[in-house]
Amino acid sequence: MGNYKRQPRISIKPSVIKVIALFCLCCLLTASCGQGASRSPNSPNSPQNDRVTIGTTLKLRTIDPADAYEIISGQLLRNLGDTLYTYKSGTTELIPGLATAMPKVSKDGLTYTIPLRQGVIFHDDTPFNSAAMEFSLQRFIKNGGRPAFLLSDAVESVKATGEYELTFQLKKPFAAFPSLLTFAGLCAISPKAYEIGDGKFKPDTFVGTGRYKLAKYGSDSLKFDAFDKYWGEKPVNQGVDLLLLSSSSNLFNTFRTGAIDVAYLSLDADQIRSLEEGSKKGKWQEIAGESSTVSYMTLNIKSPPLDKLEVRQAIAAAMDRPLINDRVLRGQAQPLYSLIPTTFDVNKPVFKEMYGDANTAKAKELLTKAGYSAANPLSLQIWYPSASTKRALVASTIEALAKLKMDGIMQVEVNSVESPTLFQNIEKGIYPAVLVDWYADFFDADNYIQPFLDCATGSAAGGCEKGASQGQGSFYYNDRVNQLIDKQRQEPNPQTRKALFGEIQDILARDVPFIPLWQDKDYTFAQNNITGVRLEPTQSFPFWFLKKQ
C-alpha cells in the first residue's frame, strides 16, 4: 500500500556496477549518513509535553476510508477509527472491536451475524448503531474508491437486522472474512458527516469513533486530539502531531536534532544503521519489529524468454538472498522463500528447498537445457519503480552477480520507470521482470496468495486474461491453483487450510511466476523521553500508547 498495496511499489537508477562497487557505494553512504547535527531533545517543561510529534516520509493522499489505500492512510485510520474486529495488542489474536463477539456463521458459511457495541458515539456526537455501521460499509462499496473491491468481491449484502445487529450475506464462503473486517477503511463513520455516491469523497476529513479526533489536516502536517468520549481504553497522551517530511534525509536529520519525538517510515538502510549506532550509545531508542511486507520479482510468463519454464527456474536458482540482505539491505530484512511471510505458520520455504541460494550450477544447467549458451546468452530485463535506492542496488547486484558467476550464459539489463507509469502498465504485460513489494490488505495468508496467483479468466496455454495474476503482471494461470485458492477460502479448519496453502506454495516454486526475495523488518526510533512505542505484529502502529516523560 505508497505506496499502493494492490499494486506493488518503489526505486532510483544507478549505473551498472559490480558487487565490489556496491561495497564502496554502501561505505560512502554510511560515512555521509553518519554526519549530522547533534541532538537537542525537547525540553520536558515544554507546553506541548502532553503531545507527541511523529515524523514520516510516507505520502498522504487521503484519509477518506472509502478511498484510502496507502500505508500511511491505513495507519492513521487505525488511530482515528474503529473496525468491527481488531487484534489484541502484541499478538495476532483476533478480538471484537465495535462488535461484541465473534460472528455467528451459518452452516453454509454464507451468513455472518455480528452483535454490535452499545454506548459508542462518533466524534460529532452522533450515536453509533447498526444503521450507522451499515451506512459506513455501503458507502465503502458504492462510492467506488480504490479499495472498494475488497468488500464488494466478497459481500452480496450487508444489513442492519437489529438496532445493534449487523448481518452480512457473502457471495461465497470465505474463512478469512473476520480478518478482512479489520481492514482500516472498514471503520465506522458518522452518517451525518458523509454521503453515499460514486466519487463523493472527503480526503481531508474524518469523523469516526476512534481514540483521536482529527484537529487539522494540512499538506505538511496533521494534528490529532485525544477523544475524551471514547468508549474504550483512552490514549495516555493528549494528542499526536504528524509531520509529513519530504525525504528520508529530512526525517533523519529532524530526528537527530530532537525536533521530532518519533521517526516512523521510511529511512534508508544507512540512515537506520547510523541511528542504530546512536541508540547503542544511549542517544535515543531503537524499536525493531518483524514486518509482513514482502519483496519479490514478478516474472511475465507471456513475455519471451520468460515463457519458458526452465528460464524462470534458472533465474530462481541464481538468486542470492543472503548476499542481497547482507550487502544491500544491511541485514535489515530477512531472506524470503515464499510469498507468504514467516509471520504466518503456513509459511513454507519452498524456494529454499527447491533451488537454494546462488545455485549457479543449477541455473546454468537449466539455461543450457533451454537452449542458451555463452554464445547465445539469455537476456533478462529487470525493471523497478524509480524512487527506491534499495531496489536500484538490488537490481544492480543481480546484474553484477550474473556477470561474475554465470559465465556469460545470462545477461541482465536494469531499467527504471516512475511508479505511476509502472503500475499503470504492469497489467498490460509491458515489463518482463519487475522488482516490487507487497503490503497486505488484511492479516491472513490468503492475502499473499489470492492477489498473486488467482485468475478468473484464462488458460494454461494462453495465460491469465483477467484476474489477480494479470493485475500483478505475471499473467499466470493454473487451474489447480485456482481450485486450491477457492478451497482454502472456504475451509474453516486451520490445519486443513494449512495443507492447502502448502500445496499452493509447492506449485508456486515449481512454476515460478514470482520469485520471493526478502521480508522487511520495521524500524522506528524514539527519543529517550518517549515510552510506549509499539510495532504490532499485525503491521499497525498504535499512537495511543505513546507518552512523553
Side-chain angles (χ1 to χ4, degrees):
M1 211 173 125
N3 308 3
Y4 260 44
K5 301 187 314 178
R6 271 281 151 170
Q7 301 172 340
R9 8 175 221 250
I10 321 270
S11 293
I12 95 182
K13 171 81 172 173
S15 60
V16 177
I17 48 177
K18 296 181 180 180
V19 174
I20 189 169
L22 288 173
F23 271 120
C24 297
L25 176 60
C26 291
C27 290
L28 287 172
L29 286 171
T30 304
S32 64
C33 289
Q35 300 169 359
S38 61
R39 172 177 167 247
S40 55
N42 295 328
S43 167
N45 297 318
S46 165
Q48 295 298 311
N49 194 45
D50 56 356
R51 299 183 68 87
V52 177
T53 303
I54 300 172
T56 185
T57 64
L58 298 182
K59 307 304 178 187
L60 183 62
R61 179 182 60 87
T62 180
I63 52 169
D64 189 316
D67 194 36
Y69 201 38
E70 292 83 21
I71 294 173
I72 184 62
S73 54
Q75 295 292 16
L76 298 185
L77 288 174
R78 288 187 183 96
N79 286 278
L80 290 165
D82 292 313
T83 49
L84 290 168
Y85 296 99
T86 184
Y87 291 94
K88 184 177 180 180
S89 182
T91 76
T92 58
E93 179 187 346
L94 197 64
I95 60 173
L98 288 176
T100 58
M102 298 308 292
K104 180 181 178 182
V105 186
S106 62
K107 288 184 178 181
D108 61 7
L110 295 176
T111 304
Y112 281 67
T113 305
I114 299 174
L116 302 186
R117 194 173 296 277
Q118 301 183 32
V120 176
I121 62 169
F122 288 100
H123 298 155
D124 61 359
D125 289 333
T126 302
F128 167 80
N129 55 24
S130 58
M133 194 72 232
E134 179 189 331
F135 170 87
S136 304
L137 299 174
Q138 293 284 7
R139 182 177 181 270
F140 184 89
I141 294 171
K142 294 179 179 178
N143 282 35
R146 295 184 178 182
F149 71 93
L150 285 172
L151 206 57
S152 62
D153 284 359
V155 172
E156 185 67 42
S157 66
V158 53
K159 295 179 181 178
T161 49
E163 188 175 3
Y164 294 100
E165 181 184 270
L166 197 67
T167 300
F168 291 91
Q169 193 70 25
L170 304 191
K171 293 179 178 178
K172 294 192 297 185
F174 185 26
F177 185 61
S179 297
L180 171 61
L181 293 177
T182 67
F183 179 72
L186 299 178
C187 58
I189 52 173
S190 171
K192 288 186 178 179
Y194 298 88
E195 59 181 321
I196 294 177
D198 188 26
K200 292 185 176 179
F201 301 118
K202 291 188 173 184
D204 58 356
T205 299
F206 185 83
V207 184
T209 64
R211 291 175 173 85
Y212 293 96
K213 294 176 65 172
L214 179 66
K216 174 197 171 186
Y217 186 105
S219 59
D220 58 359
S221 66
L222 290 89
K223 288 184 178 293
F224 311 106
D225 292 341
F227 182 37
D228 57 4
K229 297 179 183 178
Y230 185 64
W231 59 268
E233 181 185 6
K234 295 179 174 62
V236 296
N237 55 64
Q238 289 301 305
V240 170
D241 301 324
L242 183 73
L243 300 184
L244 305 174
L245 301 171
S246 60
S247 69
S248 61
S249 295
N250 285 345
L251 177 61
F252 176 74
N253 289 318
T254 303
F255 177 76
R256 282 173 57 89
T257 60
I260 57 175
D261 298 311
V262 179
Y264 172 68
L265 297 180
S266 296
L267 293 162
D268 290 341
D270 294 288
Q271 293 165 345
I272 291 173
R273 178 67 65 87
S274 176
L275 292 180
E276 280 184 316
E277 292 301 316
S279 70
K280 291 175 183 176
K281 296 174 182 177
K283 293 182 177 181
W284 42 70
Q285 306 172 68
E286 175 193 1
I287 300 91
E290 188 177 34
S291 169
S292 294
T293 300
V294 300
S295 291
Y296 57 95
M297 184 188 296
T298 297
L299 299 182
N300 181 350
I301 67 168
K302 294 178 70 174
S303 175
L306 298 177
D307 54 341
K308 293 183 178 180
L309 176 61
E310 292 89 356
V311 169
R312 301 197 301 274
Q313 292 178 334
I315 297 168
M319 292 299 106
D320 191 340
R321 294 171 185 81
L323 182 139
I324 289 172
N325 186 45
D326 292 343
R327 297 188 183 179
V328 179
L329 306 178
R330 310 301 296 272
Q332 295 163 17
Q334 63 178 3
L336 183 66
Y337 299 94
S338 170
L339 286 175
I340 300 175
T342 57
T343 38
F344 296 92
D345 65 357
V346 300
N347 165 274
K348 188 176 181 181
V350 286
F351 278 78
K352 187 171 187 177
E353 294 168 357
M354 187 167 289
Y355 304 104
D357 280 290
N359 192 345
T360 53
K362 185 177 183 70
K364 286 183 277 190
E365 177 187 336
L366 286 163
L367 289 177
T368 301
K369 183 180 177 182
Y372 294 98
S373 64
N376 177 38
L378 167 74
S379 179
L380 173 66
Q381 286 187 9
I382 298 178
W383 291 77
Y384 57 88
S386 58
S388 169
T389 307
K390 181 189 295 184
R391 277 167 182 75
L393 291 172
V394 169
S396 295
T397 299
I398 294 171
E399 179 183 34
L401 285 171
K403 280 186 177 182
L404 291 171
K405 303 290 186 180
M406 293 297 290
D407 298 333
I409 198 171
M410 182 169 81
Q411 297 176 354
V412 175
E413 176 189 333
V414 175
N415 299 280
S416 66
V417 62
E418 292 185 355
S419 297
T421 302
L422 186 144
F423 294 130
Q424 288 168 11
N425 290 333
I426 193 169
E427 65 183 21
K428 299 175 184 176
I430 290 175
Y431 311 112
V434 188
L435 288 175
V436 277
D437 67 357
W438 180 259
Y439 181 94
D441 297 315
F442 55 94
F443 196 75
D444 188 89
D446 172 81
N447 204 234
Y448 294 87
I449 291 296
Q450 189 276 337
F452 290 87
L453 304 176
D454 195 36
C455 181
T457 306
S459 65
C464 185
E465 297 171 11
K466 183 179 180 181
S469 69
Q470 175 253 339
Q472 291 276 6
S474 78
F475 298 88
Y476 177 68
Y477 182 93
N478 183 302
D479 191 54
R480 175 60 179 164
V481 169
N482 290 335
Q483 293 173 15
L484 289 167
I485 290 173
D486 196 49
K487 283 184 178 180
Q488 65 82 14
R489 288 192 137 206
Q490 298 183 46
E491 179 53 60
N493 184 288
Q495 289 307 310
T496 305
R497 200 164 178 242
K498 183 175 183 178
L500 295 169
F501 278 123
E503 185 177 348
I504 292 171
Q505 291 170 91
D506 288 339
I507 297 173
L508 165 68
R510 184 193 70 204
D511 290 354
V512 202
F514 303 90
I515 301 175
L517 294 174
W518 73 88
Q519 179 177 336
D520 284 344
K521 293 179 183 176
D522 281 340
Y523 291 87
T524 295
F525 294 89
Q527 307 295 354
N528 285 328
N529 63 335
I530 300 297
T531 61
V533 182
R534 301 186 185 186
L535 296 176
E536 299 287 357
T538 52
Q539 306 183 99
S540 66
F541 179 31
F543 297 166
W544 57 90
F545 295 118
L546 299 175
K547 187 177 179 65
K548 187 178 291 186
Q549 300 297 315

